[in-house]
Every structure is written in C-alpha cells, then in structure tokens.
mmCIF file of all heavy atoms in Angstrom:
data_model
loop_
_atom_site.group_PDB
_atom_site.id
_atom_site.type_symbol
_atom_site.label_atom_id
_atom_site.label_comp_id
_atom_site.label_asym_id
_atom_site.label_seq_id
_atom_site.Cartn_x
_atom_site.Cartn_y
_atom_site.Cartn_z
ATOM 1 N N LEU A 1 -118.683 -34.059 76.881
ATOM 2 C CA LEU A 1 -119.499 -34.447 78.032
ATOM 3 C C LEU A 1 -120.867 -33.766 77.998
ATOM 4 O O LEU A 1 -121.888 -34.378 78.335
ATOM 5 C CB LEU A 1 -118.769 -34.113 79.328
ATOM 6 C CG LEU A 1 -117.549 -34.987 79.629
ATOM 7 C CD1 LEU A 1 -116.732 -34.401 80.773
ATOM 8 C CD2 LEU A 1 -117.960 -36.418 79.949
ATOM 9 N N ALA A 2 -120.886 -32.503 77.584
ATOM 10 C CA ALA A 2 -122.166 -31.792 77.482
ATOM 11 C C ALA A 2 -123.065 -32.445 76.438
ATOM 12 O O ALA A 2 -124.278 -32.607 76.656
ATOM 13 C CB ALA A 2 -121.926 -30.324 77.142
ATOM 14 N N LEU A 3 -122.486 -32.831 75.311
ATOM 15 C CA LEU A 3 -123.270 -33.511 74.278
ATOM 16 C C LEU A 3 -123.825 -34.834 74.778
ATOM 17 O O LEU A 3 -124.992 -35.165 74.558
ATOM 18 C CB LEU A 3 -122.410 -33.747 73.034
ATOM 19 C CG LEU A 3 -122.308 -32.615 72.022
ATOM 20 C CD1 LEU A 3 -121.245 -32.947 70.979
ATOM 21 C CD2 LEU A 3 -123.653 -32.379 71.340
ATOM 22 N N LEU A 4 -122.974 -35.607 75.462
ATOM 23 C CA LEU A 4 -123.425 -36.896 75.975
ATOM 24 C C LEU A 4 -124.540 -36.724 77.001
ATOM 25 O O LEU A 4 -125.464 -37.533 77.067
ATOM 26 C CB LEU A 4 -122.249 -37.647 76.600
ATOM 27 C CG LEU A 4 -121.198 -38.159 75.614
ATOM 28 C CD1 LEU A 4 -119.972 -38.646 76.365
ATOM 29 C CD2 LEU A 4 -121.762 -39.275 74.735
ATOM 30 N N GLY A 5 -124.456 -35.664 77.790
ATOM 31 C CA GLY A 5 -125.475 -35.426 78.797
ATOM 32 C C GLY A 5 -126.751 -34.822 78.255
ATOM 33 O O GLY A 5 -127.803 -34.916 78.889
ATOM 34 N N SER A 6 -126.666 -34.205 77.068
ATOM 35 C CA SER A 6 -127.818 -33.487 76.509
ATOM 36 C C SER A 6 -128.813 -34.378 75.788
ATOM 37 O O SER A 6 -129.983 -34.015 75.621
ATOM 38 C CB SER A 6 -127.326 -32.422 75.522
ATOM 39 O OG SER A 6 -126.826 -33.052 74.329
ATOM 40 N N GLY A 7 -128.364 -35.528 75.313
ATOM 41 C CA GLY A 7 -129.235 -36.389 74.518
ATOM 42 C C GLY A 7 -129.336 -35.987 73.060
ATOM 43 O O GLY A 7 -130.068 -36.619 72.290
ATOM 44 N N LYS A 8 -128.606 -34.944 72.635
ATOM 45 C CA LYS A 8 -128.710 -34.471 71.260
ATOM 46 C C LYS A 8 -128.224 -35.497 70.238
ATOM 47 O O LYS A 8 -128.609 -35.440 69.071
ATOM 48 C CB LYS A 8 -127.933 -33.162 71.093
ATOM 49 C CG LYS A 8 -128.544 -31.982 71.831
ATOM 50 C CD LYS A 8 -127.713 -30.716 71.642
ATOM 51 C CE LYS A 8 -128.324 -29.547 72.398
ATOM 52 N NZ LYS A 8 -127.501 -28.301 72.246
ATOM 53 N N LEU A 9 -127.351 -36.407 70.673
ATOM 54 C CA LEU A 9 -126.817 -37.415 69.748
ATOM 55 C C LEU A 9 -127.702 -38.649 69.670
ATOM 56 O O LEU A 9 -127.375 -39.600 68.945
ATOM 57 C CB LEU A 9 -125.405 -37.829 70.179
ATOM 58 C CG LEU A 9 -124.346 -36.737 70.205
ATOM 59 C CD1 LEU A 9 -123.009 -37.311 70.634
ATOM 60 C CD2 LEU A 9 -124.226 -36.063 68.842
ATOM 61 N N GLY A 10 -128.807 -38.644 70.395
ATOM 62 C CA GLY A 10 -129.619 -39.852 70.472
ATOM 63 C C GLY A 10 -129.145 -40.711 71.642
ATOM 64 O O GLY A 10 -128.333 -40.293 72.469
ATOM 65 N N ASP A 11 -129.651 -41.923 71.700
ATOM 66 C CA ASP A 11 -129.330 -42.810 72.812
ATOM 67 C C ASP A 11 -128.030 -43.548 72.531
ATOM 68 O O ASP A 11 -128.018 -44.736 72.191
ATOM 69 C CB ASP A 11 -130.466 -43.801 73.054
ATOM 70 C CG ASP A 11 -130.284 -44.566 74.360
ATOM 71 O OD1 ASP A 11 -129.275 -44.317 75.053
ATOM 72 O OD2 ASP A 11 -131.141 -45.410 74.679
ATOM 73 N N VAL A 12 -126.900 -42.834 72.690
ATOM 74 C CA VAL A 12 -125.610 -43.447 72.400
ATOM 75 C C VAL A 12 -125.217 -44.479 73.451
ATOM 76 O O VAL A 12 -124.272 -45.242 73.252
ATOM 77 C CB VAL A 12 -124.499 -42.386 72.248
ATOM 78 C CG1 VAL A 12 -124.722 -41.554 71.014
ATOM 79 C CG2 VAL A 12 -124.412 -41.507 73.484
ATOM 80 N N SER A 13 -125.952 -44.541 74.569
ATOM 81 C CA SER A 13 -125.657 -45.574 75.562
ATOM 82 C C SER A 13 -125.845 -46.973 74.984
ATOM 83 O O SER A 13 -125.236 -47.934 75.470
ATOM 84 C CB SER A 13 -126.543 -45.401 76.801
ATOM 85 O OG SER A 13 -127.911 -45.646 76.498
ATOM 86 N N LYS A 14 -126.664 -47.081 73.943
ATOM 87 C CA LYS A 14 -126.881 -48.388 73.321
ATOM 88 C C LYS A 14 -125.634 -48.895 72.601
ATOM 89 O O LYS A 14 -125.567 -50.075 72.238
ATOM 90 C CB LYS A 14 -128.059 -48.319 72.354
ATOM 91 C CG LYS A 14 -129.399 -48.113 73.061
ATOM 92 C CD LYS A 14 -130.554 -48.068 72.088
ATOM 93 C CE LYS A 14 -131.883 -47.905 72.827
ATOM 94 N NZ LYS A 14 -133.033 -47.800 71.890
ATOM 95 N N MET A 15 -124.660 -47.999 72.380
ATOM 96 C CA MET A 15 -123.392 -48.439 71.798
ATOM 97 C C MET A 15 -122.623 -49.360 72.736
ATOM 98 O O MET A 15 -121.786 -50.149 72.289
ATOM 99 C CB MET A 15 -122.515 -47.231 71.456
ATOM 100 C CG MET A 15 -122.977 -46.451 70.242
ATOM 101 S SD MET A 15 -121.955 -44.974 69.983
ATOM 102 C CE MET A 15 -120.317 -45.680 69.981
ATOM 103 N N ILE A 16 -122.882 -49.244 74.032
ATOM 104 C CA ILE A 16 -122.177 -50.085 75.009
ATOM 105 C C ILE A 16 -122.879 -51.439 75.025
ATOM 106 O O ILE A 16 -123.892 -51.625 75.701
ATOM 107 C CB ILE A 16 -122.164 -49.428 76.400
ATOM 108 C CG1 ILE A 16 -121.521 -48.047 76.328
ATOM 109 C CG2 ILE A 16 -121.423 -50.325 77.400
ATOM 110 C CD1 ILE A 16 -121.642 -47.241 77.598
ATOM 111 N N THR A 17 -122.345 -52.362 74.271
ATOM 112 C CA THR A 17 -123.015 -53.638 74.051
ATOM 113 C C THR A 17 -122.514 -54.762 74.946
ATOM 114 O O THR A 17 -123.195 -55.775 75.094
ATOM 115 C CB THR A 17 -122.862 -54.056 72.579
ATOM 116 O OG1 THR A 17 -121.479 -53.931 72.184
ATOM 117 C CG2 THR A 17 -123.714 -53.179 71.674
ATOM 118 N N GLN A 18 -121.331 -54.615 75.524
ATOM 119 C CA GLN A 18 -120.783 -55.636 76.419
ATOM 120 C C GLN A 18 -120.094 -54.961 77.610
ATOM 121 O O GLN A 18 -119.444 -53.929 77.442
ATOM 122 C CB GLN A 18 -119.756 -56.554 75.707
ATOM 123 C CG GLN A 18 -120.359 -57.587 74.774
ATOM 124 C CD GLN A 18 -120.728 -57.026 73.418
ATOM 125 O OE1 GLN A 18 -120.244 -55.952 73.038
ATOM 126 N NE2 GLN A 18 -121.569 -57.713 72.679
ATOM 127 N N ARG A 19 -120.229 -55.581 78.790
ATOM 128 C CA ARG A 19 -119.613 -55.066 80.013
ATOM 129 C C ARG A 19 -118.922 -56.227 80.727
ATOM 130 O O ARG A 19 -119.521 -57.294 80.906
ATOM 131 C CB ARG A 19 -120.664 -54.424 80.923
ATOM 132 C CG ARG A 19 -121.426 -53.284 80.237
ATOM 133 C CD ARG A 19 -122.600 -52.806 81.087
ATOM 134 N NE ARG A 19 -123.436 -51.867 80.337
ATOM 135 C CZ ARG A 19 -123.764 -50.643 80.750
ATOM 136 N NH1 ARG A 19 -123.313 -50.199 81.912
ATOM 137 N NH2 ARG A 19 -124.526 -49.867 80.009
ATOM 138 N N TYR A 20 -117.671 -56.004 81.143
ATOM 139 C CA TYR A 20 -116.883 -57.060 81.767
ATOM 140 C C TYR A 20 -116.202 -56.512 83.019
ATOM 141 O O TYR A 20 -115.692 -55.385 83.002
ATOM 142 C CB TYR A 20 -115.770 -57.553 80.828
ATOM 143 C CG TYR A 20 -116.216 -57.978 79.449
ATOM 144 C CD1 TYR A 20 -116.436 -57.029 78.451
ATOM 145 C CD2 TYR A 20 -116.376 -59.322 79.132
ATOM 146 C CE1 TYR A 20 -116.817 -57.410 77.175
ATOM 147 C CE2 TYR A 20 -116.751 -59.721 77.851
ATOM 148 C CZ TYR A 20 -116.978 -58.755 76.885
ATOM 149 O OH TYR A 20 -117.354 -59.133 75.614
ATOM 150 N N PRO A 21 -116.132 -57.299 84.090
ATOM 151 C CA PRO A 21 -115.286 -56.893 85.220
ATOM 152 C C PRO A 21 -113.823 -56.972 84.817
ATOM 153 O O PRO A 21 -113.470 -57.632 83.832
ATOM 154 C CB PRO A 21 -115.636 -57.920 86.303
ATOM 155 C CG PRO A 21 -116.113 -59.118 85.550
ATOM 156 C CD PRO A 21 -116.801 -58.591 84.309
ATOM 157 N N LEU A 22 -112.983 -56.320 85.596
ATOM 158 C CA LEU A 22 -111.561 -56.228 85.248
ATOM 159 C C LEU A 22 -110.921 -57.600 85.113
ATOM 160 O O LEU A 22 -110.066 -57.802 84.233
ATOM 161 C CB LEU A 22 -110.826 -55.399 86.310
ATOM 162 C CG LEU A 22 -109.332 -55.154 86.092
ATOM 163 C CD1 LEU A 22 -109.077 -54.407 84.778
ATOM 164 C CD2 LEU A 22 -108.747 -54.376 87.272
ATOM 165 N N ASP A 23 -111.314 -58.555 85.959
ATOM 166 C CA ASP A 23 -110.656 -59.864 85.913
ATOM 167 C C ASP A 23 -111.022 -60.674 84.669
ATOM 168 O O ASP A 23 -110.457 -61.738 84.424
ATOM 169 C CB ASP A 23 -110.931 -60.670 87.188
ATOM 170 C CG ASP A 23 -112.414 -60.940 87.416
ATOM 171 O OD1 ASP A 23 -113.243 -60.611 86.540
ATOM 172 O OD2 ASP A 23 -112.752 -61.479 88.497
ATOM 173 N N ARG A 24 -111.951 -60.161 83.843
ATOM 174 C CA ARG A 24 -112.309 -60.824 82.585
ATOM 175 C C ARG A 24 -111.839 -59.994 81.385
ATOM 176 O O ARG A 24 -112.405 -60.082 80.299
ATOM 177 C CB ARG A 24 -113.817 -61.057 82.512
ATOM 178 C CG ARG A 24 -114.318 -62.129 83.488
ATOM 179 C CD ARG A 24 -115.829 -62.175 83.547
ATOM 180 N NE ARG A 24 -116.442 -62.325 82.229
ATOM 181 C CZ ARG A 24 -117.725 -62.042 81.962
ATOM 182 N NH1 ARG A 24 -118.517 -61.583 82.924
ATOM 183 N NH2 ARG A 24 -118.203 -62.201 80.747
ATOM 184 N N ALA A 25 -110.794 -59.195 81.584
ATOM 185 C CA ALA A 25 -110.316 -58.327 80.506
ATOM 186 C C ALA A 25 -109.869 -59.113 79.284
ATOM 187 O O ALA A 25 -110.097 -58.695 78.141
ATOM 188 C CB ALA A 25 -109.181 -57.443 81.010
ATOM 189 N N VAL A 26 -109.218 -60.262 79.489
ATOM 190 C CA VAL A 26 -108.770 -61.066 78.342
ATOM 191 C C VAL A 26 -109.968 -61.524 77.513
ATOM 192 O O VAL A 26 -109.949 -61.468 76.275
ATOM 193 C CB VAL A 26 -107.934 -62.271 78.810
ATOM 194 C CG1 VAL A 26 -107.599 -63.183 77.629
ATOM 195 C CG2 VAL A 26 -106.643 -61.811 79.484
#
C-alpha cells in the first residue's frame, strides 16, 4: 500500500483498463 501511494512504481493506475458494476460480472 505504501508503494502504491508513493508513486515509486510509476502510474500503475493505468493498469486498470476496464471497470464493471457487479451486475455485469459475467
């Protein structure tokens, strides 16, 4: 969590490429 909050790994948020609500889990 400290690493993710520090930015030392770069912008890893860009790894999250798709977002779905729970009812679209399939």
Side-chain angles (χ1 to χ4, degrees):
L1 289 168
L3 275 171
L4 290 169
S6 71
K8 292 179 181 179
L9 299 181
D11 191 0
V12 292
S13 67
K14 292 181 178 178
M15 287 176 53
I16 303 171
T17 49
Q18 285 81 18
R19 302 172 189 234
Y20 307 81
L22 182 60
D23 60 6
R24 290 171 53 198
V26 174

